[in-house]
Amino acid sequence: MCGIVGGVANKNIISLLLEGLNRLEYRGYDSSGLIVLSKNNTFDRVRSLGKVKNLEDNLKGRVPLIEGNIGIAHTRWATHGEPSIHNAHPHISKNSVSLVHNGIIENYIELKNDQLSNGYLFTSETDTEVIAHAIDFAMKSCSTLIASVQLAIKSFSGSYGLGIISSKYPDQIIAARKGSPLVIGIGVNGNYIASDQIALLSVTNKFIFLEDGDVAEIKIDKITIYDFEGNLVKRPVKISKLKLGEFDVGDYDHFMQKEIFEQPQAIRDTLESRITNDSILISTFGFKAEEIFNKVTQVQIVACGSSYNAGLVAKYWLEDIAKISCNVEVASEYRYRRPILLNNTLFVTLSQSGETADTVEALKEAKKINSSITTLCITNSAESTLTRLSDLIFLTHAGLEISVASSKAFTTQLVALALLTCSIGKLKNTINKKQEKEIIDGLKRLPGLVSEALLQENQIKKLAIKFKDKNSTLFVGRGTMHAIAMEGALKLKEISYIHAEAYPAGELKHGPIALIDRHMPVIAIAPNDELLEKLKSNLQEVKSRGSQMIVFEDENSMVKPMEAMEVIPVTSNLGRITAPIIFTIPLQLLSYHIAIIKGTDVDKPRNLAKSVTVE
């Protein structure tokens, strides 16, 4: 999960490379680097450890300044080889080939041994360096750079998004994609490549999204694309609707805070044109959705991280409300366990980016296992691998999410899954008109309810102070709130580095209660539902062990405060659909403000990246 940007332009490319890297830093920030072809067609490379700002500072100190009209750049999330200068991209082979890489070459040890025997030297511990050497070796028998790349990639096992330049072919960049996202930007003053269109919005809004196996030759006035078999292909040019202003933090302190407060509008946008006359438009999932949903007998959800937690909430909804069997699995486990997929299964993938590697591969594996299944992708990215692979597509319209820790992408996924639940339920006659209207009324209230929950930020700031010196936290909930507790624990781990775990409240006596003492805070979620009284009993058990407690409740739950227990009313009269979404909000704010107090890098937490495009 690294960021790539490059270009062939009629002016110095350095500023564009740096601007692109800053926008791609969410993909990794262990190190960064860039390389250009100078006027005498030699490589000029600069690399720095840590964030892109360090690379910018390094460049300011260079005399003479680096200049070049063709170049590539990279921001790294380390996989093979520790974060270091010598492992930073771009990598060079024999001063003839330089490249940047996002992905993993699984057979790199075998390739490296062959290359060592052929006299190639290695200056890094990365798997990427074998790609550069393989292309250099191919150039000995090929008459063009693109032919050399096409020959070299035949020997790779794994995934790659590549940007390649050569001192012997100083008028072009080669881009190659397999399993890792890569786009071509078509500009007025040149043509460009990037892992994500956001890196290039200052120079173009016209993009070509490369497909798996594509290899492209990019010159200042011409773009030529071949598929993996070497056939000349045409890929459509898409006009991006993203705007540069979406990358500004505005009046907020961090992107995460901004994105938390953007949730009311994100939910409105996700619901827009999907509900009419108190009825959910099933066609929003695809023009064949009604026919497909009628035949579905079970749902399989596959996802990672926050998306997996959203899937767990949906399991309760689908089985309780729509009365249809639902299984939810972590994508990285599902793809390797030889699952059984029955006919008439709706296979649902959830991914903010639509590029999550394990989720993409799980989808591919599922289609191999049973080609008759129907696939539905719920994502925030219209031009992604998952959307291209899926039969049905639902776009969440959350808008750009920059912070590594997901907020609005998670809640809009829940909205999408609520619409899916209602759509299947009404087709299966397990949801009647009255129930559908109640669900729709709840969904329509959501933006206002989220806005009300956000008003508690100041109170939550005060709660966050109590966590300054804590090392561990337990989150508990029952029913759908167990999944929301899991999401709360994940957020706390991600951005504050406090160890956190979530349990069903009824599971405490089966082990976790042994951990509870006055040093272990417990955060509970208490909606006003059929499990409330059982939850109150669980809270008494926790309190008797001396724990410091925070309880987020529905006003009608009326949890009785006790010593060292804070009860925070979040809202009231929530239904089964709205409650999980609303109770997510205070957990997001709590994690955010704890991270602020602890002084962590909220938007870019250590060791993490936004889009996990490698295993």
Side-chain angles (χ1 to χ4, degrees):
M1 66 189 89
C2 303
I4 290 171
V5 62
V8 184
N10 60 11
K11 58 182 180 179
N12 189 10
I13 199 84
I14 294 293
S15 60
L16 173 70
L17 296 180
L18 290 173
E19 182 181 24
L21 287 183
N22 275 299
R23 291 188 185 151
L24 293 173
E25 200 171 35
Y26 71 91
R27 301 180 66 88
Y29 32 86
D30 290 330
S31 62
S32 62
L34 61 80
I35 193 166
V36 297
L37 276 171
S38 61
K39 291 181 180 178
N40 58 358
N41 294 333
T42 58
F43 289 136
D44 212 341
R45 175 176 66 173
V46 181
R47 298 180 292 178
S48 296
L49 193 59
K51 296 182 179 179
V52 175
K53 177 67 167 58
N54 297 338
L55 180 66
E56 291 174 320
D57 292 342
N58 194 349
L59 281 165
K60 289 175 184 176
R62 300 278 296 213
V63 179
L65 295 175
I66 292 178
E67 293 184 353
N69 290 8
I70 177 169
I72 50 178
H74 187 270
T75 181
R76 181 175 186 244
W77 185 80
T79 52
H80 291 82
E82 65 180 6
S84 64
I85 296 293
H86 67 273
N87 285 330
H89 299 213
H91 290 287
I92 299 172
S93 178
K94 295 193 173 181
N95 289 316
S96 81
V97 174
S98 181
L99 59 82
V100 288
H101 170 219
N102 174 34
I104 292 177
I105 302 302
E106 295 171 353
N107 62 333
Y108 83 101
I109 292 178
E110 173 190 336
L111 294 171
K112 184 173 182 177
N113 289 335
D114 289 342
Q115 291 168 358
L116 286 169
S117 66
N118 284 321
Y120 283 94
L121 300 177
F122 284 80
T123 61
S124 76
E125 293 86 46
T126 69
D127 56 327
T128 297
E129 202 169 358
V130 302
I131 305 175
H133 292 329
I135 295 170
D136 176 77
F137 187 78
M139 287 171 66
K140 301 179 191 303
S141 58
C142 297
S143 58
T144 64
L145 180 56
I146 193 166
S148 303
V149 173
Q150 289 170 318
L151 177 61
I153 62 175
K154 300 289 186 183
S155 65
F156 304 153
S157 296
S159 61
Y160 53 77
L162 298 171
I164 305 152
I165 61 176
S166 171
S167 56
K168 297 178 181 178
Y169 299 93
D171 64 339
Q172 62 192 262
I173 289 177
I174 304 298
R177 182 216 163 146
K178 180 187 175 186
S180 295
L182 205 59
V183 302
I184 298 172
I186 303 170
V188 175
N189 297 311
N191 292 313
Y192 312 92
I193 64 168
S195 299
D196 190 321
Q197 57 190 304
I198 66 172
L200 303 175
L201 287 178
S202 65
V203 290
T204 185
N205 67 344
K206 297 179 180 179
F207 296 96
I208 297 171
F209 294 83
L210 293 179
E211 298 187 8
D212 255 13
D214 283 354
V215 182
E217 180 184 78
I218 299 151
K219 297 183 178 181
I220 196 166
D221 56 356
K222 185 179 181 182
I223 297 169
T224 310
I225 304 173
Y226 300 88
D227 64 17
F228 190 74
E229 302 303 323
N231 303 306
L232 188 65
V233 293
K234 292 281 188 181
R235 302 297 183 211
V237 177
K238 302 290 182 73
I239 306 300
S240 175
K241 295 180 181 179
L242 290 175
K243 295 180 175 60
L244 278 175
E246 296 183 53
F247 306 101
D248 296 329
V249 75
D251 295 330
Y252 296 94
D253 294 325
H254 299 89
F255 278 107
M256 184 178 181
Q257 186 186 34
K258 178 188 179 189
E259 288 153 13
I260 288 172
F261 278 82
E262 285 175 340
Q263 286 176 111
Q265 187 59 48
I267 290 170
R268 287 189 196 96
D269 292 342
T270 300
L271 290 171
E272 185 179 355
S273 302
R274 269 110 185 218
I275 299 172
T276 182
N277 297 326
D278 295 326
S279 180
I280 289 172
L281 297 177
I282 300 173
S283 60
T284 60
F285 289 93
F287 74 95
K288 288 187 176 181
E290 185 166 341
E291 174 189 343
I292 290 166
F293 290 172
N294 261 316
K295 297 176 182 177
V296 166
T297 56
Q298 69 171 6
V299 177
Q300 173 69 63
I301 298 175
V302 173
C304 301
S306 290
S307 296
Y308 171 73
N309 295 336
L312 291 175
V313 174
K315 176 179 173 65
Y316 283 93
W317 289 343
L318 285 161
E319 295 191 341
D320 180 32
I321 300 172
K323 310 299 183 192
I324 189 167
S325 173
C326 178
N327 296 311
V328 186
E329 294 197 50
V330 173
S332 57
E333 292 297 314
Y334 185 87
R335 60 182 286 202
Y336 289 117
R337 75 166 183 81
R338 297 186 181 90
I340 295 172
L341 263 177
L342 302 178
N343 293 337
N344 299 319
T345 293
L346 179 64
F347 191 91
V348 180
T349 55
L350 303 175
S351 170
Q352 187 279 142
S353 66
E355 300 290 352
T356 308
D358 284 314
T359 307
V360 170
E361 293 304 318
L363 174 57
K364 291 178 181 177
E365 190 63 27
K367 294 170 84 169
K368 290 179 187 175
I369 293 168
N370 188 339
S371 60
S372 71
I373 63 169
T374 299
T375 59
L376 164 64
C377 165
I378 296 175
T379 182
N380 193 34
S381 178
E383 301 295 340
S384 65
T385 301
L386 282 178
T387 59
R388 288 193 290 272
L389 292 175
S390 300
D391 302 313
L392 302 174
I393 300 163
F394 187 99
L395 298 177
T396 56
H397 301 316
L400 192 65
E401 191 176 67
I402 296 292
S403 179
V404 167
S406 180
S407 54
K408 61 179 179 173
F410 175 76
T411 48
T412 53
Q413 282 178 354
L414 289 178
V415 170
L417 290 164
L419 293 173
L420 176 64
T421 299
C422 195
S423 297
I424 292 175
K426 75 176 190 175
L427 288 173
K428 300 290 185 185
N429 294 318
T430 55
I431 295 176
N432 60 35
K433 281 287 185 183
K434 179 174 179 290
Q435 291 169 315
E436 181 183 8
K437 185 179 185 307
E438 289 173 352
I439 291 171
I440 290 172
D441 287 345
L443 291 172
K444 287 179 177 178
R445 291 174 59 218
L446 264 177
L449 292 171
V450 172
S451 295
E452 289 175 13
L454 289 168
L455 294 175
Q456 298 182 357
E457 185 178 28
N458 288 333
Q459 186 175 6
I460 289 172
K461 281 182 186 179
K462 296 174 184 177
L463 293 178
I465 296 171
K466 300 180 180 182
F467 285 78
K468 181 177 181 181
D469 300 316
K470 301 299 182 184
N471 297 313
S472 292
T473 302
L474 287 181
F475 287 73
V476 295
R478 303 198 72 143
T480 55
M481 296 307 155
H482 171 227
I484 298 305
M486 291 176 64
E487 176 63 10
L490 177 60
K491 286 291 157 285
L492 190 62
K493 280 182 280 196
E494 283 180 312
I495 62 173
S496 74
Y497 315 148
I498 293 175
H499 170 253
E501 292 188 71
Y503 288 94
E507 186 70 9
L508 288 171
K509 292 190 292 292
H510 296 276
I513 202 165
L515 298 172
I516 294 174
D517 59 19
R518 62 188 180 87
H519 301 293
M520 172 74 79
V522 175
I523 297 172
I525 309 168
N528 183 25
D529 59 18
E530 65 274 12
L531 292 171
L532 177 60
E533 293 307 316
K534 292 186 181 296
L535 177 66
K536 287 180 177 179
S537 296
N538 300 141
L539 298 183
Q540 289 284 351
E541 294 164 357
V542 171
K543 199 69 214 68
S544 66
R545 271 72 184 177
S547 172
Q548 173 188 334
M549 295 192 68
I550 297 173
V551 180
F552 292 106
E553 69 159 4
D554 186 303
E555 289 176 359
N556 296 324
S557 295
M558 292 184 286
V559 175
K560 184 179 179 181
M562 294 176 273
E563 185 181 354
M565 174 195 283
E566 297 234 22
V567 179
I568 313 298
V570 175
T571 186
S572 61
N573 296 317
L574 295 178
R576 286 175 292 178
I577 295 290
T578 52
I581 298 170
I582 298 305
F583 278 104
T584 298
I585 307 304
L587 299 184
Q588 292 173 346
L589 288 170
L590 182 63
S591 295
Y592 171 75
H593 285 290
I594 291 171
I596 296 296
I597 290 166
K598 291 181 71 69
T600 64
D601 191 335
V602 174
D603 287 332
K604 299 168 186 173
R606 68 189 182 201
N607 303 331
L608 297 178
K610 181 67 177 173
S611 180
V612 185
T613 57
V614 297
E615 285 192 67

